[in-house]
Amino acid sequence: MGAELCLMRPWHARLVIFTDLDGTLLDPVTYSWQAAKPAMEACARMDIPVILNSSKTGAEMARLARQMDIAWPYIVENGGGICFPKESPFQCMEDDTPGRSLDHIAIGISYDRLCEALLQISAETGIGIRGFSQMSPDEIISLTGLDRKDARRAAQRQYDEPFLIENTLPDALEQIRKTAACMGLQVTPGGRFYHLHGKFDKGKAVEWLTARLKPFGDIRRVGIGDSENDIPMLEAVDIPVWVAPPEKPAPAIDGLLRSGKTSSGPKAWNQVVLSLIRERYSL
Ligand SMILES: [Mg+2]
C-alpha cells in the first residue's frame, strides 16, 4: 500500500504496545479498564503508544479511544483497517498525494464487496445466510443485547460482515467456507456470528504499522491478548503477553509472557506493562 507515516512532533519511545480490548485491556464482565489505569498513565507519561487492536468497528473504537484519552492510531475489525485520529502524533500520508493525510488505511476488502460476496455465496450454495447488512437495528439489538446506540456503532462495519446461517445442514459451514475461499475470502467463527472477511488478521495490521514505525527508533513491540484471534498479533511482536485466566490454555508461542495465577485481563495488563516499562527504561 502506498502510504507512509509522518511524525508530527518529537517522539522517542522505546516500547510500542499493541493490545486487544475485550478480556485484555477491558474486564470481560464490566468492560472497565480501571485496573490498568496506573500502567496506562505511565505509558502516557513516557509517550509509549498504546495501539488498540480489536475486532470492534471504527465507530466503537473511536469512542473508547476518546474515553481512554488515547490519540494513537488504532486497528479495527480484526486487522481490517487502521484509523489515524486527527490528533495522533503519527499521521498517514499517501505516497502520491504529498501533504494529504488519511484518516484510515484499508487492509481488508471493502464492506460493499463483502456484502455482495455473501449474497453470491448464498445463491451459489443454496444456503440461507443472513448478514448484518440485511438486519434491522431491532434485530441486531435482540441478537447482541447491545443498546440502540452501541448497536448502531457495531453496525458501522467496513471490513468484516457478521452473518448467521439459517439452515442447519451439517455441512453448511464447510460449503460456505469453500465458496468464500474461491473468492479469496475467509470465514471465521465468532462468539455470536460467523464473520466473512478478506485474508487479513490482527498480526498483518501490526506488521503494516511497525514496518513504518521502525525508522523512528529502536522500538520493542509488545502484544497483549487473551484469545485465539490475538495469536497472529502475538506472533508478530517482539514481546508477546497472554493475559487470559489461568484455566484457558495458552498458545505455543516462543517467549510468551504469562500473567500470574491470580491476575488476568486489565489487572494483569497493569502488572506486565509496568514491569516492562521498568525493565526497558531501567527505572
Ligand atoms: Mg479478547
Side-chain angles (χ1 to χ4, degrees):
M1 262 160 283
E4 290 305 324
L5 295 189
C6 275
L7 191 51
M8 311 311 282
R9 61 162 173 77
W11 175 71
H12 304 288
R14 296 176 214 169
L15 285 174
V16 172
I17 294 166
F18 293 92
T19 180
D20 170 51
L21 285 170
D22 291 352
T24 298
L25 182 53
L26 302 182
D27 183 277
V29 178
T30 65
Y31 296 105
S32 164
W33 62 90
Q34 289 305 309
K37 245 188 153 181
M40 299 263 284
E41 286 168 359
C43 289
R45 271 198 310 279
M46 315 293 277
D47 211 13
I48 295 170
V50 174
I51 298 187
L52 310 178
N53 190 354
S54 160
S55 57
K56 293 181 190 297
T57 64
E60 293 174 292
M61 290 181 72
R63 181 163 172 263
L64 269 168
R66 268 197 307 275
Q67 290 173 342
M68 291 175 174
D69 209 10
I70 287 177
W72 302 103
Y74 49 87
I75 299 166
V76 305
E77 291 185 44
N78 260 323
I82 305 172
C83 294
F84 296 86
K86 272 199 177 56
E87 59 283 14
S88 167
F90 287 100
Q91 290 294 318
C92 187
M93 303 290 180
E94 259 179 319
D95 282 351
D96 46 4
T97 322
R100 189 177 152 226
S101 65
L102 302 169
D103 58 2
H104 75 275
I105 273 281
I107 294 178
I109 289 165
S110 81
Y111 188 63
D112 289 350
R113 274 191 55 202
L114 287 175
C115 295
E116 274 169 34
L118 197 61
L119 292 175
Q120 204 181 327
I121 292 168
S122 179
E124 277 185 28
T125 57
I127 296 168
I129 297 173
R130 196 157 172 75
F132 235 54
S133 62
Q134 298 162 280
M135 296 178 191
S136 67
D138 286 333
E139 205 173 345
I140 293 174
I141 289 166
S142 76
L143 285 168
T144 59
L146 294 171
D147 69 26
R148 192 160 291 273
K149 276 188 180 165
D150 285 340
R152 208 179 302 137
R153 285 187 199 101
Q156 289 176 38
R157 312 203 68 84
Q158 291 172 291
Y159 313 105
D160 167 305
E161 172 70 334
F163 65 93
L164 295 172
I165 302 174
E166 292 184 323
N167 337 31
T168 46
L169 295 172
D171 66 338
L173 178 60
E174 206 37 52
Q175 281 193 54
I176 294 170
R177 272 207 161 125
K178 274 189 192 150
T179 315
C182 292
M183 299 174 172
L185 301 174
Q186 293 187 147
V187 174
T188 307
R192 290 189 177 86
F193 301 97
Y194 296 101
H195 294 259
L196 180 71
H197 55 82
K199 287 189 173 158
F200 58 82
D201 54 46
K202 289 186 175 189
K204 290 198 175 75
V206 166
E207 278 160 12
W208 190 96
L209 208 45
T210 51
R212 287 160 181 82
L213 281 173
K214 279 223 160 131
F216 297 108
D218 173 22
I219 302 158
R220 297 276 283 163
R221 301 161 306 161
V222 182
I224 313 178
D226 75 320
S227 293
E228 208 182 310
N229 67 347
D230 296 317
I231 293 174
M233 165 175 74
L234 301 181
E235 286 173 337
V237 296
D238 307 302
I239 306 171
V241 183
W242 185 252
V243 294
E247 59 273 17
K248 198 166 165 182
I253 295 173
D254 283 349
L256 185 72
L257 296 182
R258 298 183 59 180
S259 51
K261 281 205 168 56
T262 54
S263 70
S264 60
K267 191 176 166 201
W269 202 101
N270 191 57
Q271 289 166 349
V272 171
V273 170
L274 285 176
S275 101
L276 286 171
I277 291 176
R278 272 195 295 271
E279 202 177 287
R280 184 77 173 139
Y281 290 81
S282 311
L283 297 176

